[in-house]
Amino acid sequence: LTLGKVISALSKSSKSSKSKNKHHRRRSSGGHVPYRDSKLTRLLKDSLGGNCCTIMVACVSPASIHQEETINTLRYAQRTRCIDNVAVQ
């Protein structure tokens, strides 16, 4: 639940920074990213919003009984694709 909130906040801020200015892709300071809400998001802070290259693997099933879970996984993966990190040197 908290990881989903962090990914949503990061993807929203990435979308808004892209639409405002295509040359400067820095995260807007107006949005709060709740990294401190859980131990997992605190550990993944650098991977999700830092200078790291992160890969997400989404496991889906073709079985009809897992259709709802597969759709939710694909929606979650789509939100993570919207996150755009810029390395700071």
Side-chain angles (χ1 to χ4, degrees), residues 19-82:
S19 64
K20 288 180 184 176
N21 191 345
K22 292 182 181 179
H23 299 293
H24 298 287
R25 291 187 178 181
R26 295 179 190 239
R27 199 165 328 296
S28 62
S29 59
H32 171 70
V33 181
Y35 290 117
R36 294 185 181 181
D37 289 355
S38 77
K39 290 181 182 180
L40 176 64
T41 54
R42 204 172 308 142
L43 288 171
L44 294 175
K45 180 179 180 180
D46 290 333
S47 297
L48 295 171
N51 290 337
C52 297
C53 180
T54 306
I55 297 172
M56 179 181 175
V57 177
C59 298
V60 296
S61 172
S64 61
I65 59 170
H66 300 294
Q67 181 180 5
E68 185 177 342
E69 188 67 29
T70 297
I71 290 171
N72 288 336
T73 301
L74 292 173
R75 286 181 185 149
Y76 188 75
Q78 180 61 34
R79 283 188 300 185
T80 59
R81 287 184 64 199
C82 296

